[in-house]
Amino acid sequence: MAVTITAKDVHDIDIAGLTIAIFVTFTRLGIRIRNRKLGWDDFWAAFSIIGAILLMTGVLIILDPKPSMTQLTLVAGYYITSEGFYTIVWTSRLSILCTIIRISPPGSLRRILYGVGVLFGIMWTFLAMQEIVICEREPGWKEAIPTQCHLGKSVAISQLTTDIIADLCLLIAPLRMFWNSMLPTGHRVRLNIVFSTCALTTVVSLVHAYWIFANLGLNEIFTGIFETTISMIVASLNVIVGLLYHAFANMKESSTMPSERTAGATGIELHSRGVATGPIAVDITTTTYTDAEIGVFKVPEAHQGGYEGNEVYDKKQEVMEFRGY
């Protein structure tokens, strides 16, 4: 039995869902700005807010057209909705991908991830153009109320295929990187959970694709908004979890003397199992500590023969500090 979605349901999730997603994204950006750690992942997260505003505006035009609105306005409202949807979904994925690139060691994996980013851009452009071409071939929908194009099976298949490919890329890359490292089990599981949540968007996209097949307009819009809401929240989840982890670590450290603190208390190190290189220091905190506490990893005196003084490991030893959380 098909689930019946009303215009009020769509209106409510449009306002409530996207407002929550925008709030979470602004919270993420506020954390990064406060700690001066803005990166490309934050740029794409901020870009998704523009898509959310477009989607919210377009849906309101479609659901509640005013008598003064012309047909051109209603058609523009639909295209604003569809392009806002694609903007949110793909900028959120690019944000997650840039986070993975940010913590990945230099080498072949990072080059592959750059290629995945290009692939994401190609798929985003293809889906956006495909919908415009299909809708313009059959312009009869422009006179209907609500103004909504029938996308058909080809769009549903394209969306589902690209969603699965993209989410698998975002799931496999961090899982392999973290699982092949010598992280403590607790850290490894926590980071894997953060990145694997992107699979939630795949589940929702399956439902969305089904309603596109069934040509049930309001159901299609409802699940599309829900998918974008989940996408934006998941893209900022790594920063929010990092903040909570830091707050918990501070509670534990409040009863510990500074001289007793170790790198394991506030950060983690990725030790490659496959190559004999130095550790990859991954600092998941959002506070800059002094050298006496943490913040840099010094070369032990016993190994200073190959280095100058007490300098920090550089990229030649494949050491990278990640201060993204």
Side-chain angles (χ1 to χ4, degrees):
M1 181 177 179
V3 178
T4 302
I5 300 294
T6 65
K8 184 179 184 302
D9 296 330
V10 177
H11 178 275
D12 290 345
I13 194 173
D14 182 50
I15 299 297
L18 292 177
T19 299
I20 293 172
I22 291 173
F23 174 78
V24 171
T25 305
F26 270 123
T27 301
R28 170 240 179 86
L29 295 175
I31 295 171
R32 288 290 179 82
I33 292 173
R34 184 193 65 182
N35 295 287
R36 300 178 181 179
K37 297 172 182 176
L38 288 171
W40 280 106
D41 50 344
D42 302 299
F43 168 79
W44 290 115
F47 206 132
S48 70
I49 295 176
I50 299 176
I53 295 173
L54 292 175
L55 179 59
M56 186 183 297
T57 303
V59 170
L60 293 178
I61 293 174
I62 292 174
L63 292 180
D64 188 22
K66 305 300 180 183
S68 59
M69 292 181 178
T70 64
Q71 184 186 72
L72 179 61
T73 302
L74 298 179
V75 172
Y78 173 77
Y79 280 126
I80 288 173
T81 300
S82 63
E83 298 309 314
F85 167 79
Y86 288 126
T87 298
I88 296 174
V89 171
W90 290 100
T91 54
S92 297
R93 286 173 176 152
L94 284 168
S95 178
I96 297 173
L97 179 66
C98 287
T99 299
I100 299 173
I101 293 174
R102 193 169 180 171
I103 66 177
S104 63
S108 59
L109 176 59
R110 182 172 290 187
R111 290 191 294 270
I112 291 173
L113 293 175
Y114 284 137
V116 172
V118 174
L119 178 62
F120 281 12
I122 293 173
M123 290 191 291
W124 178 6
T125 303
F126 169 77
L127 291 172
M129 295 304 298
Q130 180 191 38
E131 182 162 343
I132 293 174
V133 170
I134 289 178
C135 291
E136 289 301 316
R137 284 178 179 174
E138 300 179 3
W141 60 273
K142 297 180 180 180
E143 299 178 359
I145 299 294
T147 306
Q148 184 178 4
C149 174
H150 173 46
L151 300 178
K153 294 183 179 180
S154 60
V155 172
I157 293 173
S158 297
Q159 284 192 15
L160 187 57
T161 302
T162 54
D163 286 345
I164 292 175
I165 293 174
D167 291 337
L168 280 177
C169 291
L170 296 177
L171 179 64
I172 294 174
L175 287 179
R176 180 177 180 181
M177 181 170 59
F178 290 132
W179 207 258
N180 287 339
S181 66
M182 296 185 66
L183 285 172
T185 302
H187 288 311
R188 196 162 58 227
V189 171
R190 182 177 62 82
L191 291 172
N192 285 338
I193 290 174
V194 168
F195 288 105
S196 63
T197 49
C198 64
L200 289 175
T201 59
T202 302
V203 176
V204 180
S205 66
L206 290 172
V207 181
H208 185 211
Y210 169 77
W211 292 125
I212 294 177
F213 270 117
N215 192 27
L216 294 177
L218 291 178
N219 295 50
E220 177 187 333
I221 297 175
F222 184 91
T223 52
I225 296 172
F226 188 69
E227 180 179 352
T228 56
T229 300
I230 295 297
S231 297
M232 290 183 69
I233 293 175
V234 167
S236 296
L237 189 61
N238 63 321
V239 179
I240 303 298
V241 170
L243 178 66
L244 296 176
Y245 180 85
H246 179 221
F248 178 74
N250 279 345
M251 292 175 58
K252 293 181 64 177
E253 290 174 3
S254 61
S255 59
T256 305
M257 295 297 292
S259 60
E260 296 175 349
R261 296 176 188 169
T262 62
T266 55
I268 55 178
E269 294 180 351
L270 295 180
H271 297 263
S272 174
R273 290 173 175 167
V275 294
T277 64
I280 302 175
V282 182
D283 180 2
I284 62 171
T285 67
T286 57
T287 301
T288 302
Y289 291 88
T290 63
D291 291 356
E293 295 178 353
I294 190 175
V296 296
F297 188 85
K298 303 278 187 184
V299 179
E301 295 182 0
H303 296 82
Q304 288 177 9
Y307 305 94
E308 297 181 1
N310 285 331
E311 64 184 7
V312 181
Y313 282 120
D314 57 22
K315 290 183 179 180
K316 292 181 181 179
Q317 281 72 46
E318 290 190 322
V319 175
M320 171 274 303
E321 292 187 21
F322 171 55
R323 302 184 181 276
Y325 288 134

